[in-house]
Amino acid sequence: MESSEELVAFPLLTTPIESNYRACTIPYRFPSDNPRKPTPTELAWIDLFLNSIPSFRKRAEGDETVPDAYSKAEKFAQRYTEILEDFKKDPESHGGPPDCILLCRLREQVLREVGFRDIFKKVKDEENAKAISLFEDVVRLNDAIEDGPKRVENLIRGIFAGNIFDLGSAQLAELFSEDGMSFLASCQNLVPRPWVIDDLDAFLLKWGRKSWKKVVIFIDNSGADIILGILPFARELLRRGTKVVLAANELPSINDVTYPELIEIISKLKDAHGLLVGVDASNLLIANSGNDLPVIDLTRISQELAYLASDSDLVILEGMGRGIETNLYAQFKCDSLKIGMVKHPEVAQFLGGRLYDCVFKFNEVLS
């Protein structure tokens, strides 16, 4: 159930793409590994996906838009468990060997096959409504910071705090169901710097020296992530005269914001004059990325996004799925920033950091 149009490569990837780009960051296996035997890394990641099934099943059971949701949710859990167990016996089954893209794709496929389209819709709508009511306060708190670099750092901390709202992470899904998420508390409670990858000082230096002409941001979750994290940051870019392209998923996947949802969110946040709390938003563009997963392979994006992004001079990949588990080492023809929070112990271990550590990887291309 992918995009109906032909997908193309992101035009700002370093070429030749074949030798320069691999979407998945963590190698689950190496060429010397036995193709018929799962590697320890594959087994650890298969288990991570197995452990997430109960929370997905619970969401699916509660989907009021699907008749007979309870038994369909059971069918999903059963089928997806079987696929994951098959990988443990034979890594080459189901189009394997598995990587994070294939494991996500198969999960989405099974959900859609049994009849679910958007099992997180209800929680996304609730979180969006909550975050929309807080947007102006968050923006005004940032605007009150007169020191430029301090304001930008605060906006970036807001992106990390917003990024905590991730129901694809089993621990966070549990935490979230217990007490919801307090955005401002999350801002204050980030792990102390230096973060596991911390190029913030270099980014602030560049921010002070240069205004990018056009920035494309691959966005992540609904709720606080997009509304209280990314949009105040995008607004700050707009204020400096930068054009901003927000790239959102075409189809629903976990609690990631979709293209139609993003259009709706922005229209609710703009005032009658098209302003975002006093800032002209006519240079804010929304694009359908053509993607339908919580991770992204940048050789498969929509033609619309390829066209809109081709003259960007900064690419931002936000969130663990798009900026850490995939694309952390992706190289671009222009400046790039990968920003996200580490929400799986396996990712923390790979990076040599802590759980809930922050990744802020800025690469400057010297022209």
Side-chain angles (χ1 to χ4, degrees), residues 156-158 160-161 164 185-192 195 341 358:
I156 283 157
R157 287 178 174 276
F160 286 124
I164 292 174
S186 304
C187 279
Q188 266 119 40
N189 294 334
L190 295 181
V191 297
W195 300 318
M341 185 173 273
C358 299

Side-chain angles (χ1 to χ4, degrees), residues 119-351:
I119 60 172
F120 290 88
K121 183 71 183 145
K122 190 165 171 264
V123 71
K124 284 192 295 183
D125 289 347
E126 286 165 3
E127 286 309 303
N128 287 339
K130 249 188 260 178
I132 285 170
S133 71
L134 296 170
F135 177 72
E136 198 169 323
D137 292 344
V138 168
V139 162
R140 293 205 188 283
L141 280 171
N142 279 306
D143 285 359
I145 302 169
E146 281 169 26
D147 180 298
K150 276 209 175 76
R151 185 167 64 247
V152 178
E153 180 172 346
N154 206 53
L155 286 161
I156 283 157
R157 287 178 174 276
I159 294 175
F160 286 124
N163 197 231
I164 292 174
F165 174 54
D166 182 353
L167 302 180
S169 151
Q171 291 101 320
L172 283 174
E174 211 165 287
L175 189 69
F176 182 82
S177 63
E178 279 166 24
D179 66 346
M181 285 285 171
S182 157
F183 177 73
L184 290 171
S186 304
C187 279
Q188 266 119 40
N189 294 334
L190 295 181
V191 297
R193 294 182 63 197
W195 300 318
V196 65
I197 300 177
D198 192 335
D199 299 326
L200 179 59
D201 296 341
F203 179 79
L204 293 174
L205 203 63
K206 180 82 183 244
W207 180 286
R209 283 203 320 263
K210 173 186 176 175
S211 243
W212 291 277
K213 292 194 293 289
K214 191 179 200 179
V215 178
V216 58
I217 308 177
F218 288 85
I219 60 171
D220 190 16
N221 306 315
S222 299
D225 194 352
I226 176 64
I227 296 163
L228 306 180
I230 288 295
L231 284 172
F233 178 76
R235 176 181 169 275
E236 188 72 14
L237 287 165
L238 292 167
R239 201 149 76 149
R240 306 176 85 208
T242 303
K243 275 188 174 158
V244 178
V245 179
L246 298 177
N249 269 10
E250 175 168 1
L251 297 172
S253 181
I254 51 178
N255 63 317
D256 291 3
V257 69
T258 62
Y259 174 67
E261 286 165 350
L262 185 58
I263 291 173
E264 194 184 320
I265 288 166
I266 305 262
S267 73
K268 284 179 179 169
L269 292 175
K270 280 183 189 172
D271 68 14
H273 308 288
L275 303 179
L276 274 177
V277 192
V279 172
D280 181 6
S282 56
N283 276 336
L284 179 63
L285 307 170
I286 303 168
N288 174 347
S289 68
N291 190 42
D292 61 346
L293 297 174
V295 288
I296 194 166
D297 176 350
L298 292 175
T299 63
R300 302 174 57 76
I301 62 146
S302 72
Q303 294 171 37
E304 173 202 0
L305 177 59
Y307 173 74
L308 281 175
S310 58
D311 58 343
S312 300
D313 49 0
L314 173 63
V315 175
I316 300 178
L317 290 138
E318 186 245 348
M320 184 172 69
R322 290 169 193 77
I324 305 176
E325 289 179 348
T326 55
N327 301 304
L328 184 63
Y329 303 129
Q331 295 175 343
F332 298 92
K333 296 171 185 170
C334 62
D335 292 352
S336 63
L337 172 62
K338 289 81 176 236
I339 175 169
M341 185 173 273
V342 176
K343 294 173 276 196
H344 286 153
E346 292 74 4
V347 178
Q349 193 185 340
F350 173 77
L351 295 173

